[in-house]
Amino acid sequence: ESPAPRHFLRTIIEEDLREGRVDEVVTRFPPEPNGYLHLGHAKAISVNFGLAEEFGGRCHLRFDDTNPEKESQEYIDAICEDVRWLGYAWAGEVRFASSYFDQLYAWAEHLVREGKAYVCDLDADRAREFRGTLTEPGRNSPYRERGPAENLDLLERMRAGEFDEGSKVLRAKIDMAHPNMNLRDPILYRIRKRSHHQTGDRWCIYPTYDFAHGQEDAIEGVTHSICTLEFEDHRPLYDWFIDNLPVASRPRQYEFARLNTSYTVTSKRKLKQLVDGGHVDGWDDPRMPTIAGMRRRGFTPAAIRRFCEMVGTSRATGVADVAMLEHAIRDDLNAHAPRAFCVLNPLRLVLTNYPDGESETLTVAKHPSREELGSRELTFGRELVIEADDFRESANKKYKRLVLGKRVRLRGAYVIEATDLEKDSAGRVTTVYAQLVRGTLGEDPADGVKAKGVIQWLHAATARPATVRRYDRLFTDPSPDRDEDFLQYLNPESLVVMDGALVEPAVAAAAPEARFQFERLGYFVADRCSHNPAAPVFNETIGLRDSWSG
Ligand code: ATP
Ligand code: MG
Ligand code: MG
């Protein structure tokens, strides 16, 4: 393990601890439960949980559930599972913004009593007109001078459900001419007559993100409230609430650049569009950049965490190369995944000089360098299968597999020499006949005629059928996110299902989520959802060749 790289948040925290500004580092990861988490969230998780872990502090998991219409329990459950799977543990119970609704409401009343908030009757269009622009100051709402008593009464009646959605909002009274638009009397509460997944029908007014977030941080004693750069302009408002409310602690907001990754879409809204439009098979489709999708694809938590570290944490926006993520996956799997044989397109191979009805057991290492992974046993006999692609009737010198009249080594077994073949009426080779070259188990042929290459094989009678799903990138364009019509960049060949594959019996019997390197093919994982020993299903995680040049 390399030491954690330096970055500005680490420096800030070290200083805060050294100067005694904080005793304990408290961070939080605050997803809105309106979709599944994606690779960008993995970055935010690794920053928040990672820093808390590193400095012996704690990190809260807090659902930012102030928008009842788009949220659901399904998303809450999936998010908890994803965070746990990545290997992080939140401090205490899962928290909800909605469990602070009473306190937030009391604070709203406090601002009203202090003359710092008012109920405004402008509808959305008129409010926009009054708001001004970046270059022009806004104008005061005609409702701005309502007194505290009238405002308290109206707010209470908003809460009681007396008014229609959109007819009234509660706003902070700050400065309609402020150069930062976020300080032009921002909205604190809006009327939404929707049931909420946590609070049911108890509320029909809901706080905005801005009015909720900093105060929740303060309630929880969060010291470093880390978010992405789009909230930078909200920071003065975050501080305004902390300064103007009797909160128990003083959190501070810090921003870093969002993680963007080539060939990848990371916006919950767009990912939901892929799911709802049937372009993928659910949020956890192995092609999705969701954490659940990457998990089903066979990516490892360690590799995703490693990638999040490699891309760094800064305030400079950029695009990370997806090949770097793939490199991290490959690196981890190369070190840990046991090797196995899979034949995607089986071709029958008969060893004519091997006695009929006999077989032997060969012992092969599970990993070329990690002895502790042990070995596996393979049945060898007269009838085998090899990859159809690994045989040609004739070929030039570059073809390092089996050619009629030539030799190849069956990996972990013998050298064989192809002697004859059989074709069907369409001219397709259906059977290859070969001779086993005796004395070649772990030895070169005694006659000095070497094998041209090494191929994988399986024993025909004991090999087990399996479905193998081969995946390619979901998008063909390096920045599918660059325009709204990102669906035009969908890769029509992102999934190829191989129905007639064969695998070793022990591989078929593996548990869901077991990972393998199918030799010469790539890394594969037993599908988390549909694999079972009676009907094995493997997903391609990643190919063998590394395209990252970092
Ligand atoms: P999306 O735009 O996909 O809906 P979001 O930011 O609205 O993302 P939230 O559920 O609010 O989603 O995000 C929870 C946390 O994750 C926030 O602190 C947010 O800043 C962070 N986050 C989201 N996307 C990224 C990203 N691409 N890189 C880094 N952090 C991210
Ligand atoms: Mg958000
Ligand atoms: Mg969002």
Side-chain angles (χ1 to χ4, degrees):
E1 280 287 295
S2 46
R6 313 272 333 148
H7 63 67
F8 77 106
L9 292 171
R10 196 166 268 129
T11 306
I12 286 168
I13 290 175
E14 278 168 358
E15 250 173 52
D16 285 346
L17 287 167
R18 190 172 346 105
E19 310 285 323
R21 278 191 291 269
V22 300
D23 304 324
E24 187 192 14
V25 176
V26 184
T27 58
R28 87 285 168 265
F29 172 63
E32 186 179 354
N34 62 350
Y36 279 59
L37 298 182
H38 52 60
L39 188 55
H41 293 112
K43 175 66 195 172
I45 290 169
S46 82
V47 168
N48 282 297
F49 283 92
L51 285 170
E53 215 164 65
E54 182 183 336
F55 291 98
R58 58 198 157 92
C59 180
H60 298 175
L61 173 61
R62 183 208 306 150
F63 287 101
D64 202 352
D65 56 345
T66 55
N67 265 321
E69 53 259 59
K70 291 183 179 164
E71 302 168 357
S72 76
Q73 189 63 42
E74 178 200 346
Y75 296 141
I76 291 173
D77 296 341
I79 289 169
C80 291
E81 174 90 10
D82 288 347
V83 173
R84 255 188 249 114
W85 179 75
L86 279 176
Y88 295 107
W90 50 88
E93 299 285 297
V94 170
R95 291 150 217 258
F96 293 89
S98 56
S99 53
Y100 309 128
F101 281 173
D102 284 316
Q103 176 65 78
L104 291 169
Y105 185 79
W107 279 334
E109 287 183 321
H110 174 88
L111 290 178
V112 168
R113 276 194 298 270
E114 302 257 294
K116 292 173 182 166
Y118 61 99
V119 173
C120 179
D121 300 0
L122 291 178
D123 63 26
D125 288 339
R126 305 231 28 236
R128 202 170 305 118
E129 283 166 34
F130 275 78
R131 200 155 177 247
T133 63
L134 280 176
T135 49
E136 271 177 46
R139 283 176 294 138
N140 286 350
S141 156
Y143 305 98
R144 200 173 198 260
E145 297 313 321
R146 277 174 168 157
E150 185 187 356
N151 281 320
L152 278 177
D153 174 61
L154 289 172
L155 177 59
E156 182 50 42
R157 288 162 62 196
M158 275 171 68
R159 176 189 182 162
E162 271 188 46
F163 307 117
D164 289 339
E165 283 194 8
S167 65
K168 285 184 168 47
V169 293
L170 182 72
R171 300 175 70 175
K173 194 170 180 177
I174 306 181
D175 180 0
M176 286 306 293
H178 203 285
N180 182 338
M181 303 276 282
N182 292 301
L183 293 175
R184 293 185 188 174
D185 292 10
I187 295 175
L188 312 187
Y189 270 94
R190 29 172 89 88
I191 301 170
R192 284 274 184 282
K193 299 195 168 168
R194 309 286 167 89
S195 260
H196 185 285
H197 49 97
Q198 301 299 314
T199 58
D201 294 322
R202 227 157 67 69
W203 295 89
C204 65
I205 60 172
Y206 290 95
T208 54
Y209 172 91
D210 284 325
F211 185 62
H213 205 88
Q215 286 84 289
E216 293 156 15
D217 288 338
I219 291 169
E220 294 183 4
V222 167
T223 54
H224 298 80
S225 180
I226 299 163
C227 60
T228 36
L229 275 176
E230 70 269 23
F231 293 104
E232 182 175 21
D233 291 345
H234 294 241
R235 189 177 353 119
L237 181 56
Y238 183 104
D239 290 336
W240 190 90
F241 289 124
I242 299 299
D243 289 338
N244 284 279
L245 289 170
V247 292
S249 77
R250 164 122 223 158
R252 289 189 185 278
Q253 177 183 303
Y254 300 92
E255 311 88 20
F256 70 100
R258 287 177 91 83
L259 168 64
N260 301 304
T261 308
S262 63
Y263 293 95
T264 308
V265 162
T266 42
S267 143
K268 271 185 278 187
R269 187 175 56 78
K270 289 183 178 170
L271 295 175
K272 189 167 188 325
Q273 222 177 307
L274 289 172
V275 174
D276 292 346
H279 303 287
V280 294
D281 185 20
W283 284 98
D284 66 346
D285 184 299
R287 292 165 292 180
M288 289 282 272
T290 51
I291 295 176
M294 294 189 286
R295 176 177 181 178
R296 256 187 100 180
R297 181 74 175 260
F299 289 12
T300 61
I304 294 170
R305 289 168 66 148
R306 175 84 188 108
F307 169 69
C308 289
E309 213 172 78
M310 285 168 85
V311 297
T313 307
S314 79
R315 291 174 56 88
T317 304
V319 179
D321 188 345
V322 74
M324 199 201 280
L325 171 62
E326 294 165 351
H327 168 80
I329 308 292
R330 210 175 264 120
D331 218 36
D332 190 24
L333 292 176
N334 181 37
H336 297 103
R339 277 40 174 176
F341 293 158
C342 167
V343 173
L344 292 172
N345 277 309
L347 171 62
R348 186 165 168 255
L349 172 73
V350 178
L351 302 178
T352 50
N353 60 344
Y354 199 95
D356 210 358
E358 275 184 32
S359 68
E360 65 195 284
T361 301
L362 303 177
T363 302
V364 182
K366 283 193 180 166
H367 193 281
S369 61
R370 299 190 54 217
E371 261 172 57
E372 70 273 24
L373 288 183
S375 56
R376 59 197 216 265
E377 306 211 313
L378 297 172
T379 308
F380 187 89
R382 178 181 168 90
E383 288 210 18
L384 307 175
V385 292
I386 58 171
E387 204 65 76
D389 254 4
D390 285 340
F391 172 77
R392 287 199 195 155
E393 222 176 317
S394 61
N396 66 21
K397 287 203 171 72
K398 281 194 204 138
Y399 187 77
K400 302 267 187 260
R401 310 178 217 175
L402 185 61
V403 179
L404 194 60
K406 302 264 166 58
R407 290 179 176 182
V408 83
R409 175 173 290 282
L410 298 178
R411 186 149 177 87
Y414 301 89
V415 172
I416 58 161
E417 183 171 321
T419 52
D420 199 0
L421 56 80
E422 225 167 68
K423 291 181 181 173
D424 63 13
S425 54
R428 279 187 26 217
V429 179
T430 52
T431 306
V432 174
Y433 295 95
Q435 297 256 329
L436 185 152
V437 183
R438 306 237 176 251
T440 53
L441 192 60
E443 306 281 342
D444 281 336
D447 63 9
V449 183
K450 287 197 177 154
K452 291 202 55 186
V454 185
I455 63 175
Q456 82 272 25
W457 55 275
L458 288 165
H459 181 239
T462 57
R464 299 283 315 278
T467 297
V468 175
R469 302 175 181 144
R470 306 208 75 179
Y471 293 106
D472 196 358
R473 287 174 184 159
L474 186 54
F475 295 99
T476 53
D477 191 277
S479 34
D481 237 346
R482 84 179 112 112
D483 53 83
E484 214 21 59
D485 183 18
F486 67 104
L487 296 176
Q488 67 183 297
Y489 304 119
L490 276 172
N491 176 5
E493 276 145 42
S494 58
L495 167 62
V496 176
V497 179
M498 317 280 301
D499 273 323
L502 293 170
V503 295
E504 295 174 24
V507 168
E513 300 204 89
R515 300 180 178 92
F516 297 94
Q517 183 196 95
F518 288 164
E519 293 202 42
R520 299 179 62 234
L521 298 175
Y523 296 96
F524 293 78
V525 65
D527 187 67
R528 189 182 165 206
C529 305
S530 49
H531 169 85
N532 73 72
V537 180
F538 293 91
N539 299 332
E540 177 176 19
T541 305
I542 191 93
L544 295 172
R545 239 193 321 273
D546 202 326
S547 59
W548 186 57
S549 53

